[in-house]
Amino acid sequence: MNSVLYPVCAAAALLAFLYKLRVLRTDRSVTQLFLLGNFFLQAIVFTVSTPFVWLTVSRAVDIVNFSGLLTQSCVILITACQQVVLLRLSNDPETAARKARPRLFALGLVLAVMIVLFSMATFSHENPTDFALTKAQLYPSYLLVYLLAYGVSQVDVQILCLRHAKIAPAPWLRRGLRLVGLTMPFVLTYTCCRLADIVAGQFGASGRAWEPVAQWSAALGTIINVVGWTLPDWGRHLSTAWQALDTRRAYRELEALHGSLTDQIPEPVLSLDADAGLRARLYRRMVEIRDAQWALRPWMSPALLVAAERACDERGLTGSERAAVIEATLLRAAVRGKAADDQPLDHDPHPRVIDPQDLSSELRFLRQLAKAFASGPPR
């Protein structure tokens, strides 16, 4: 499984590193540097954890299972990078440095202890696929130090993420931090699996039964982590794409209503330049609908307004939904009256039930109005 799963994770981390590398041209802040370090170290961890690379690295330095020490040391450094990034995001530089110092000191101490315990171990052969299981059985103290440091630090990272997500100024930063915070179950699952390896090892057993769970937890947690940390950069492109798609959909939704009204009141319709964008066309369609609505008010009966209000009250409609149904009822009657050349009324009602306060609210209401107009009178 390592031969397939871990290269995928390594590729994801490397792509994130390369994607963020361009940011250094304009922003060489501590936050960006440590975030780059996070992705670079993740790429190292999963590249070296691939069995072929594991053997190559260990043999290159002529230390049995050196790759295990390297990857797990990088994991500790990854946690340190993430803590620094989050502290810098949440605090001014001086406060962030003050809060980071004890965390970095503790993780540095952990690395020193891990190196000492690793040097005391006597590995007889390479373990590219079961290094953690072997340590759990033969050298549980090394694995226990690593797991406690990893688990506690990662919980700290998740808590910092969720705290800052509540106050982050940008929506995609908030979403990205929440996504990183959602990796906590994977962190806890991986840690529990490795702790279970230690317990099983003390009874002469092996944790191979749940090894796939540990590997998948590490892999999925990493991929979600990478997506979450990069989401603030590329998420805005999703917003742009969604906005373009929603604009096109809104333009189509208003087409039938616009056509029905302007067939009777064509004066508001203006021809636009061929190069006018869709947003400009949508805005113009909204204006033409409202202008035609005002022009049709002489064919709107006050009695029909009262009847429409009563029907909405009977159905329990409120707010903008109620207003859309009432206005649609008046518009259908006005279109029929104008088409039949009925005489205009002397006392025409106000054609609008509510007046949205901004353009987005106006568009949202007109979409409701178009739907109500097409669905027929209230029952």
Side-chain angles (χ1 to χ4, degrees):
M1 185 181 296
N2 295 11
S3 300
V4 177
L5 199 58
Y6 289 173
V8 172
C9 294
L14 182 60
L15 287 174
F17 172 77
L18 296 175
Y19 181 79
K20 289 291 292 182
L21 193 61
R22 61 186 177 80
V23 177
L24 290 184
R25 291 178 298 181
T26 56
D27 184 1
R28 297 188 180 182
S29 63
V30 172
T31 302
Q32 295 296 341
L33 289 172
F34 274 85
L35 193 55
L36 274 168
N38 167 66
F39 294 134
F40 181 70
L41 291 168
Q42 284 180 334
I44 289 178
V45 168
F46 286 99
T47 299
V48 176
S49 295
T50 305
F52 170 74
V53 181
W54 178 292
L55 295 172
T56 303
V57 171
S58 292
R59 288 169 183 169
V61 298
D62 198 25
I63 298 176
V64 178
N65 284 323
F66 172 79
S67 295
L69 176 63
L70 174 62
T71 56
Q72 292 181 339
S73 297
C74 285
V75 169
I76 299 299
L77 294 175
I78 287 169
T79 300
C81 288
Q82 293 174 351
Q83 288 176 327
V84 171
V85 169
L86 289 166
L87 290 172
R88 293 282 296 194
L89 286 174
S90 306
N91 304 275
D92 60 85
E94 183 178 346
T95 304
R98 177 173 53 80
K99 291 183 177 182
R101 276 193 289 270
R103 288 175 166 89
L104 297 179
F105 176 80
L107 291 177
L109 185 60
V110 166
L111 283 175
V113 172
M114 286 173 58
I115 292 171
V116 170
L117 292 175
F118 181 87
S119 64
M120 294 171 61
T122 55
F123 296 100
S124 59
H125 60 279
E126 293 284 350
N127 302 102
T129 59
D130 60 355
F131 180 66
L133 291 175
T134 302
K135 287 186 299 180
Q137 290 180 315
L138 303 179
Y139 311 105
S141 56
Y142 171 92
L143 185 59
L144 185 61
V145 169
Y146 165 70
L147 288 176
L148 289 177
Y150 169 75
V152 171
S153 299
Q154 277 297 310
V155 168
D156 181 47
V157 167
Q158 315 308 318
I159 292 173
L160 289 172
C161 277
L162 296 177
R163 281 180 181 173
H164 188 63
K166 297 178 181 179
I167 60 173
W172 282 107
L173 177 57
R174 293 194 294 271
R175 293 167 187 145
L177 291 174
R178 291 192 190 105
L179 192 57
V180 174
L182 290 177
T183 61
M184 186 180 292
F186 298 100
V187 169
L188 295 178
T189 299
Y190 173 82
T191 304
C192 288
C193 286
R194 292 303 179 217
L195 290 173
D197 291 342
I198 294 175
V199 174
Q202 303 314 299
F203 292 93
S206 171
R208 292 190 183 278
W210 53 81
E211 183 64 11
V213 176
Q215 293 177 348
W216 274 103
S217 296
L220 292 175
T222 296
I223 291 175
I224 295 173
N225 192 283
V226 167
V227 173
W229 284 116
T230 56
L231 193 58
D233 292 304
W234 55 267
R236 64 181 185 275
H237 300 303
L238 293 180
S239 294
T240 301
W242 171 256
Q243 183 62 47
L245 181 64
D246 193 54
T247 298
R248 187 170 298 278
R249 185 164 58 242
Y251 188 77
R252 290 198 303 267
E253 288 175 4
L254 299 184
E255 183 175 7
L257 174 62
H258 178 268
S260 296
L261 301 189
T262 56
D263 280 348
Q264 302 303 320
I265 309 293
E267 290 80 11
V269 178
L270 299 178
S271 59
L272 295 176
D273 295 336
D275 58 350
L278 186 61
R279 288 180 63 84
R281 293 181 181 279
L282 174 61
Y283 176 72
R284 187 61 220 170
R285 178 165 284 186
M286 293 167 61
V287 171
E288 290 167 1
I289 288 173
R290 285 308 200 185
D291 287 349
Q293 183 180 15
W294 276 99
L296 284 167
R297 72 186 186 279
W299 288 271
M300 296 180 184
S301 166
L304 181 60
L305 172 61
V306 173
E309 291 174 340
R310 185 183 305 114
C312 288
D313 292 339
E314 291 173 355
R315 293 172 58 191
L317 300 181
T318 59
S320 61
E321 184 181 9
R322 180 180 187 273
V325 170
I326 293 173
E327 289 190 22
T329 302
L330 294 175
L331 281 173
R332 279 192 299 270
V335 167
R336 289 195 301 268
K338 180 69 167 60
D341 288 328
D342 291 345
Q343 288 297 313
L345 302 174
D346 293 333
H347 303 287
D348 49 284
H350 194 290
R352 298 179 64 169
V353 178
I354 63 173
D355 290 303
Q357 297 302 306
D358 54 65
L359 188 60
S360 61
S361 299
E362 173 77 343
L363 176 58
R364 189 161 50 248
F365 178 75
L366 284 177
R367 294 170 81 167
Q368 288 182 294
L369 178 60
K371 183 178 180 181
F373 185 86
S375 62
R379 294 180 175 82

